[in-house]
């Protein structure tokens, strides 16, 4: 018997991506669809690409509407998931695509989000050492932010192997879907097309503590992170450029590449590209895939790693299903596309 899933926030970008992947998952069937302001409408009014679900009604989001499902995905704004999750039975697999259960430090939560702090859940980025084991059998999963996913995958081998000093710079370019579906003047086509804009500059972006948490947990002690996000004129995708000072002057490109190859050789969704080939966001659109490259800037004495993902797939919904597969004892790759769309 296939498992029934419910999606809260079904009318948003993440909700739509969750449903797209659910339709291709052989062990899942779609149950309740809920949302806030969209309640009472049909899904096709918001997700017209999901043809087979277009006539399904959207209910108001409540614990009662989500009850009776095996897996519940919460694609809700930050601060909305914790209370709702607390009302769901412990034997239901609840997947929070928001930030409510990501951070382990109450002080960091208070500074960057505020409000009631809730205990962290197993973190849904299996490629972090130890994270995959923590997901096995779990009934609660915290899906990472899309920026932290990209930056962390780019940096794991360098930080974990001690190739770099614990001072990491991240500059990441994101498509506009990362800001959600709500109408915002600065995301209008006429404002975005032909322009790129940095925001949250000077350590002001709330994904900073999550990146710090991920990299500081790799065994090398606390890691300082300078994170600068950039809004790019594209609908989806993230490109992260991560750099850090070399821990020793003798580190060369061959050593760096060996560390990355060793780290990701058995990972089904992270691909180290051939030497000289740089990742491009267009290559991972619609795929639960990360492409990674690493170089050494000898003159500057820095390691430079680049990574790309689709922010809605590997960055959120695909990472969620990957983690759900692990939690349920299924093949980790089940139902997840690895090939992007081209052109």
């Amino acid at each position: 018997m296939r498992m029934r899933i419910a999606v809260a926030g079904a009318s948003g970008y993440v909700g739509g991506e969750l449903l797209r992947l659910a339709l291709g998952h052989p062990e899942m069937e779609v149950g309740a669809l809920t949302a806030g302001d969209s309640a009472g409408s049909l899904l096709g009014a918001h997700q017209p690409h999901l043809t087979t679900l277009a006539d399904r009604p959207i209910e108001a989001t409540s614990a009662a509407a989500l009850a009776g499902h095996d897996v519940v995905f919460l694609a809700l704004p930050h601060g909305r998931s914790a209370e709702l999750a607390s009302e769901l039975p412990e034997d239901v697999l609840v997947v929070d695509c928001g930030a409510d259960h990501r951070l382990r430090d109450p002080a960091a939560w208070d500074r960057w989000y505020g409000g009631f702090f809730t205990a962290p859940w197993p973190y849904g980025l299996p490629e972090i050492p130890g994270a995959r084991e923590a997901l096995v059998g779990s009934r609660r999963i915290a899906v990472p932010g899309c920026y932290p996913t990209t930056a962390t995958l780019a940096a794991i081998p360098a930080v974990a192997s001690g190739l770099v000093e614990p001072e990491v710079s991240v500059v990441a370019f994101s498509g506009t879907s990362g800001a959600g579906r709500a109408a915002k003047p600065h995301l209008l086509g006429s404002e975005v097309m032909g322009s790129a804009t940095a925001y949250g500059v000077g350590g002001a972006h709330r994904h900073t503590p999550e990146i710090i948490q991920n990299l500081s947990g790799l065994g090398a002690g606390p890691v300082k992170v300078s994170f600068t996000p950039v809004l790019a004129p594209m609908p989806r995708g993230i490109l992260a450029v991560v750099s850090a000072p070399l821990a020793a002057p003798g580190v060369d490109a061959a050593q760096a590449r060996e560390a990355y190859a060793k780290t990701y050789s058995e990972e089904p969704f992270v691909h180290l590209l051939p030497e000289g080939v740089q990742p491009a966001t267009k290559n991972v659109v619609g795929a639960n895939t990360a492409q990674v490259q690493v170089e050494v800037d000898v003159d500057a004495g820095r390691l430079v790693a680049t990574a790309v993902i689709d922010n809605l797939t590997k960055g959120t919904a695909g990472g969620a299903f990957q983690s759900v597969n692990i939690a349920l004892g299924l093949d980790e790759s089940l139902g997840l596309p690895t090939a992007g769309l081209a052109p």
Side-chain angles (χ1 to χ4, degrees):
M1 176 181 289
R2 297 200 297 172
M3 286 167 282
R4 282 174 52 80
I5 72 162
V7 176
S11 60
Y13 287 139
V14 171
E17 189 72 352
L18 286 165
L19 291 170
R20 181 180 77 90
L21 296 177
L23 289 173
H25 196 295
E27 298 293 335
M28 304 286 180
E29 64 178 29
V30 178
L33 310 177
T34 78
D37 295 340
S38 303
S41 62
L42 298 180
L43 184 70
H46 312 279
Q47 313 287 7
H49 62 297
L50 301 176
T51 308
T52 59
L53 298 175
D55 293 333
R56 296 282 295 274
I58 299 177
E59 305 175 55
T61 297
S62 67
L66 301 173
H69 293 81
D70 302 294
V71 184
V72 174
F73 293 93
L74 304 178
L76 303 174
H78 304 316
R80 304 278 182 86
S81 298
E83 182 177 357
L84 185 60
S86 69
E87 299 176 17
L88 297 173
E90 292 184 0
D91 61 343
V92 175
L93 177 48
V94 183
V95 185
D96 184 8
C97 295
D100 292 19
H101 300 93
R102 294 173 184 163
L103 296 182
R104 295 192 293 266
D105 182 0
W109 173 265
D110 185 62
R111 174 184 173 186
W112 295 95
Y113 293 94
F116 183 74
F117 174 76
T118 54
W121 291 352
Y123 193 70
L125 188 57
E127 293 83 4
I128 294 179
R132 183 174 278 108
E133 292 76 10
L135 289 167
V136 174
S138 176
R139 286 299 176 266
R140 297 292 187 269
I141 295 172
V143 178
C146 50
Y147 276 131
T149 293
T150 323
T152 301
L153 292 175
I156 284 174
V159 175
S161 62
L163 290 177
V164 297
E165 297 289 347
E167 300 176 8
V168 175
S169 171
V170 179
V171 179
F173 301 77
S174 175
T176 55
S177 61
R181 196 165 199 166
K184 303 178 181 71
H186 72 285
L187 298 178
L188 292 172
S190 56
E191 301 291 338
V192 174
M193 289 187 295
S195 179
T197 309
Y199 64 103
V201 179
H205 196 281
R206 57 174 47 171
H207 280 170
T208 301
E210 192 177 342
I211 301 172
I212 293 173
Q213 176 177 281
N214 291 350
L215 301 185
S216 296
L218 296 177
V223 176
K224 293 181 180 179
V225 173
S226 175
F227 171 46
T228 303
V230 179
L231 182 66
M234 56 186 183
R236 54 200 290 169
I238 292 181
L239 164 67
V241 181
V242 174
S243 70
L246 297 173
V251 175
D252 59 20
Q255 288 175 274
R257 189 166 185 82
E258 181 182 1
Y260 276 71
K262 181 179 179 180
T263 299
Y264 291 132
S265 62
E266 301 297 325
E267 290 295 343
F269 297 112
V270 184
H271 304 293
L272 176 63
L273 295 179
E275 293 184 53
V277 179
Q278 283 297 321
T281 55
K282 68 176 183 178
N283 296 336
V284 296
V285 173
N288 195 55
T289 303
Q291 291 187 347
V292 179
Q293 185 57 278
V294 61
E295 311 284 354
V296 171
D297 186 335
V298 177
D299 293 332
R302 298 181 72 86
L303 180 144
V304 182
T306 50
V308 295
I309 64 169
D310 183 323
N311 58 295
L312 294 177
T313 314
K314 178 59 176 166
T316 313
F321 270 100
Q322 181 182 349
S323 299
V324 165
N325 284 340
I326 294 169
L328 295 175
L330 302 174
D331 184 302
E332 186 171 333
S333 302
L334 194 62
L336 289 170
T338 56
L341 303 175

